[in-house]
């Protein structure tokens, strides 16, 4: 199974302190004991410029990264692995209402696999498994580590997301930290087509996009207690607004563990109103 221990991207005692906080099981257990007795604080973000890049990878290799009892969706020994990178729009609790616009808008990248079904104890909804979560903001990276189990977040040494009328590019530089590397360059294209490998699994471009982008929940592994955490989300992607991308370069730090069996399939979601609705241990 993959390791999500936090390492800070820069050397020195501040980085060691941040790592100690991020990996502290005692703090996490206290937080979970308190927050599990309180109503979940719904989180909102007006997300924009979501660059999805996916590969069909070896399903057996991907399954080895997951805990026991978590079953991948697969066909003919292949399963999708997706990296989506985006800019938040004032990410934070919904409670402040219009004042939420004062909150910052960090960059985030989620790395995920797709499940055949949800684990026991969770409702039967389309669900993904979070392998990695990367952000470019130290307060947000530490905040998700200290106050949540669903996002195993790593801080990037550098992170970029550039979307123009003709191109989309995203990159993650790990530095000395635990964030994986990423470098993706794409062109926005008019033709919405699938190559033969993707077409064999999904039939057409729109159905592939719907499968990869439209989920109602996510799970992650909680190493300190060996349990799974289940989080419900609201991500109403408008498929009519999705733009096709052609990847001219796509380097990803996890592909050594997940041998790709296809060319990358990429697309752009210009914007979506994201909500995190719940989180609980299974």
């Amino acid at each position: 199974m993959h390791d999500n221990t936090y390492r800070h991207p820069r050397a020195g005692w501040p980085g060691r302190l941040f790592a100690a906080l991020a990996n502290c099981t005692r703090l996490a257990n206290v937080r979970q004991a308190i927050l599990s007795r309180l109503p979940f604080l719904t989180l909102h973000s007006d997300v924009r410029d979501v660059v999805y890049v996916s590969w069909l990878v070896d399903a057996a290799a991907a399954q080895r990264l997951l805990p026991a009892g978590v079953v991948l969706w697969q066909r003919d020994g292949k399963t999708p692995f997706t990296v989506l990178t985006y800019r938040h729009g004032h990410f934070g609790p919904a409670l402040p209402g219009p004042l939420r616009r004062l909150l910052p808008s960090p960059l985030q990248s989620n790395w995920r696999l797709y499940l055949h079904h949800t684990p026991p104890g969770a409702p039967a909804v389309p669900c993904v498994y979070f392998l990695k979560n990367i952000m470019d903001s130290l307060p947000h990276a530490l905040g998700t580590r200290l106050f949540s189990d669903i996002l195993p977040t790593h801080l990037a040494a550098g992170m970029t997301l550039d979307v123009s009328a003709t191109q989309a590019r995203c990159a993650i530089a790990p530095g000395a930290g635990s964030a994986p590397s990423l470098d993706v360059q794409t062109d926005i294209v008019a033709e919405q087509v699938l190559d033969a490998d993707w077409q064999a699994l999904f039939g057409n471009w729109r159905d592939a996009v719907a499968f990869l982008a439209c989920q109602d929940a996510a799970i992650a592994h909680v190493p300190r207690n060996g349990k799974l955490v289940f989080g419900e989300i609201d991500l109403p992607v408008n498929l009519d607004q999705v733009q096709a991308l052609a990847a001219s370069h796509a380097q990803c730090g996890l592909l050594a563990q997940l041998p790709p069996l296809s060319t990358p399939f990429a697309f752009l979601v210009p914007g979506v109103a994201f909500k995190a609705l719940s989180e609980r241990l299974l």
Side-chain angles (χ1 to χ4, degrees):
M1 195 161 54
H2 68 291
D3 180 22
N4 267 315
T5 303
Y6 178 88
R7 294 194 314 276
H8 199 67
R10 288 172 286 277
W13 70 263
R16 293 192 294 272
L17 173 61
F18 296 143
L21 289 172
N23 297 319
C24 182
T25 58
R26 181 173 297 181
L27 281 177
N29 286 333
V30 170
R31 177 262 303 161
Q32 200 277 327
I34 295 172
L35 295 187
S36 64
R37 291 168 169 78
L38 300 175
F40 183 80
L41 194 62
T42 302
L43 303 175
H44 284 202
S45 182
D46 299 311
V47 169
R48 60 190 187 274
D49 296 336
V50 192
V51 177
Y52 283 78
V53 185
S54 301
W55 294 262
L56 296 177
V57 300
D58 181 77
Q63 187 66 60
R64 288 193 289 271
L65 297 182
L66 305 187
V70 179
V71 182
L72 281 178
W73 183 97
Q74 60 173 295
R75 296 289 186 275
D76 301 323
K78 301 174 183 176
T79 192
F81 161 61
T82 295
V83 174
L84 60 147
T85 305
Y86 52 94
R87 184 177 300 279
H88 276 290
H90 312 297
F91 179 44
L95 193 62
L99 294 178
R100 186 170 58 84
R101 70 187 63 177
L102 301 176
L103 297 176
S105 300
L107 296 179
Q108 183 168 343
S109 188
N110 290 336
W111 300 33
R112 68 211 205 159
L113 296 164
Y114 297 80
L115 302 188
H116 180 265
H117 56 77
T118 49
V125 296
C127 186
V128 295
Y129 181 91
F130 283 153
L131 287 170
K132 299 285 183 184
N133 184 67
I134 303 96
M135 302 184 85
D136 70 340
S137 160
L138 176 60
H140 286 86
L142 280 182
T144 56
R145 286 273 182 168
L146 293 174
F147 294 102
S148 172
D149 287 315
I150 196 67
L151 292 176
T153 304
H154 305 270
L155 179 67
M159 196 167 175
T160 59
L161 175 64
D162 298 310
V163 177
S164 69
T166 59
Q167 294 181 317
R169 180 180 184 273
C170 48
I172 297 171
S178 50
S181 63
L182 180 73
D183 188 9
V184 172
Q185 300 176 34
T186 68
D187 296 312
I188 299 175
V189 296
E191 196 172 11
Q192 298 177 341
V193 295
L194 291 178
D195 67 19
D197 292 320
W198 287 93
Q199 192 172 7
L201 269 66
F202 296 104
N204 61 70
W205 187 90
R206 188 181 179 93
D207 286 351
V209 169
F211 180 92
L212 296 171
C214 301
Q215 286 80 40
D216 297 320
I219 66 169
H221 182 247
V222 185
R224 71 177 188 276
N225 54 27
K227 294 184 178 182
L228 297 173
V229 58
F230 175 80
E232 293 177 294
I233 60 174
D234 182 31
L235 193 69
V237 173
N238 185 340
L239 297 180
D240 293 329
Q241 295 180 354
V242 178
Q243 298 173 273
L245 298 175
S248 57
H249 177 75
Q251 176 273 328
C252 170
L254 270 189
L255 289 183
Q257 299 177 62
L258 294 170
L261 303 175
S262 75
T263 56
F265 172 52
F267 55 89
L268 172 69
V269 176
V272 60
F274 167 78
K275 298 178 184 177
L277 303 175
S278 71
E279 179 181 322
R280 61 184 174 89
L281 292 177
L282 297 178

